[in-house]
Amino acid sequence: IEWLLGDGILGRSPDDASAVIRLHPYAVGGYLGIIVNALNLLPIGNTDGGRISTSVLGRSFARMVSVGILWTLLLAGIFGGDKSDVLFSYALYSSFWQNEPEIPCRNEVDGVDDFRAVIAFGSAVLVALALVPLDVA
């Protein structure tokens, strides 16, 4: 594990909270990849999460969820729930650059099957698990 995450990571005492943990660049890149993919799966605008919410929830309810998520991200950034300002910056970015209407699908009448709805719910849970403890300061 030390070869992958960096020398001396396992030798640190858990009581020393101010100790700097050196990480391998692959670990940092993997963490950033998880955060970027989780932000892309938020149900906002024309992102992948927005398309998933449109197909599962319908166009009108997905729009309401998108506005609710945007306000949640903005309020978390304003009132200090996001110490690294990643969510606030992404909310500003997506409100300006992801606001164009989605191209209608060929068939918006049929709903999605249960398996795909479970996969969509599972991806929403993974997004929440990836972004909620985001308090790197």
Side-chain angles (χ1 to χ4, degrees):
I1 290 179
E2 287 196 21
W3 173 80
L4 179 65
L5 297 178
D7 294 334
I9 191 168
L10 296 178
R12 302 277 179 181
S13 67
D15 298 332
D16 190 13
S18 65
V20 176
I21 297 175
R22 295 177 290 161
L23 292 176
H24 195 273
Y26 287 160
V28 175
Y31 176 72
L32 290 176
I34 288 171
I35 298 300
V36 167
N37 284 320
L39 289 174
N40 192 26
L41 281 175
L42 284 174
I44 298 173
N46 294 339
T47 61
D48 290 340
R51 291 186 177 106
I52 290 171
S53 68
T54 301
S55 67
V56 172
L57 303 174
R59 190 172 291 273
S60 61
F61 192 64
R63 182 70 181 151
M64 291 190 308
V65 168
S66 175
V67 169
I69 294 290
L70 272 175
W71 276 105
T72 302
L73 294 178
L74 288 172
L75 291 175
I78 291 171
F79 293 116
D82 177 25
K83 293 181 177 137
S84 61
D85 289 331
V86 171
L87 299 178
F88 182 71
S89 302
Y90 187 74
L92 288 177
Y93 166 77
S94 62
S95 65
F96 288 114
W97 296 100
Q98 298 287 335
N99 61 358
E100 57 197 36
E102 184 67 37
I103 299 171
C105 297
R106 251 187 251 172
N107 186 3
E108 289 189 3
V109 177
D110 295 339
V112 295
D113 57 345
D114 292 337
F115 178 72
R116 291 184 181 185
V118 167
I119 295 294
F121 180 74
S123 66
V125 168
L126 289 176
V127 166
L129 288 174
L131 293 180
V132 167
L134 190 66
D135 60 350
V136 179

